[in-house]
Amino acid sequence: MVGNRVRAAIIRSQRITGLTPDVIAELVAEIGPLWHERHQAALAARPRRRAMGAGAKHKLVFVDRLLATLVHLRHGATHDVLACWFGVDRSTITRAISEVRPLLAERGCTIAPGQQLRTLAEVIDYLGAEGRTGIIDGTEVRVRRPAAGRKDRESSSPGRASRTP
């Protein structure tokens, strides 16, 4: 469980989450009630074994769940690292991210089916047309290629069309 000072420092530092405190406040106000609704619906969907209010309480409140998800998406931090940072078990972080990511995706900027944005200029034009803000995933993706010196290496380079001899 993160203390209030640490939580406030995470929210204030745009380098950590990539978002301003105002945007984070908007996300909490908009997505928090949706998360709570889904959580309550999941609890109501199964038969009770204990009385209302009994059982373990959340160690990771919604704001912390959102912050952990934002840090994970921005920096690619592992669930183990986030678990140490937030003082909870790795499985709690995994569950939190799997609950919050769909809510962020539903709220976020979506692109119309069939439309592809291939260059940064196209992305800027698309977002600028409606005054939206976008988050670009710049995660490196490992591409397996044939070893150096093999005859088929050049034809399998990323970004090149295959050549026919």
Side-chain angles (χ1 to χ4, degrees):
M1 179 167 68
V2 172
N4 289 333
R5 281 188 188 170
V6 175
R7 183 181 302 117
I10 293 169
I11 292 171
R12 272 194 317 270
S13 176
Q14 192 170 348
R15 290 177 59 193
I16 296 174
T17 61
L19 301 173
T20 64
D22 293 336
V23 173
I24 293 173
E26 287 176 23
L27 286 174
V28 169
E30 188 176 330
I31 296 175
L34 295 174
W35 175 82
H36 184 70
E37 273 180 34
R38 289 186 182 183
H39 179 70
Q40 292 301 319
L43 289 176
R46 60 180 186 230
R48 297 194 76 57
R49 289 197 225 162
R50 297 185 179 129
M52 291 282 283
K57 306 296 180 244
H58 285 297
K59 288 185 179 177
L60 200 62
V61 295
F62 176 74
V63 175
D64 294 341
R65 290 169 184 267
L66 176 65
L67 292 175
T69 304
L70 292 172
V71 171
H72 173 71
L73 292 172
R74 178 165 173 82
H75 298 288
T78 64
H79 294 191
D80 288 325
V81 169
L82 292 171
C84 290
W85 201 18
F86 285 89
V88 295
D89 192 67
R90 181 192 53 75
S91 63
T92 303
I93 294 293
T94 302
R95 189 176 324 103
I97 290 172
S98 68
E99 291 171 352
V100 174
R101 275 185 84 164
L103 294 171
L104 288 172
E106 288 173 16
R107 180 208 183 266
C109 176
T110 56
I111 298 171
Q115 183 172 7
Q116 291 189 353
L117 305 175
R118 292 191 171 94
T119 65
L120 183 58
E122 290 176 355
V123 172
I124 292 170
D125 288 342
Y126 180 80
L127 293 174
E130 298 185 25
R132 296 183 185 180
T133 301
I135 299 174
I136 297 175
D137 182 2
T139 307
E140 292 184 25
V141 178
R142 183 176 181 172
V143 177
R144 296 187 58 101
R145 299 187 298 172
R150 289 194 49 183
K151 64 180 179 182
D152 54 347
R153 178 169 170 108
E154 282 189 28
S155 66
S156 68
S157 275
R160 285 192 175 171
S162 8
R163 298 180 188 162
T164 53

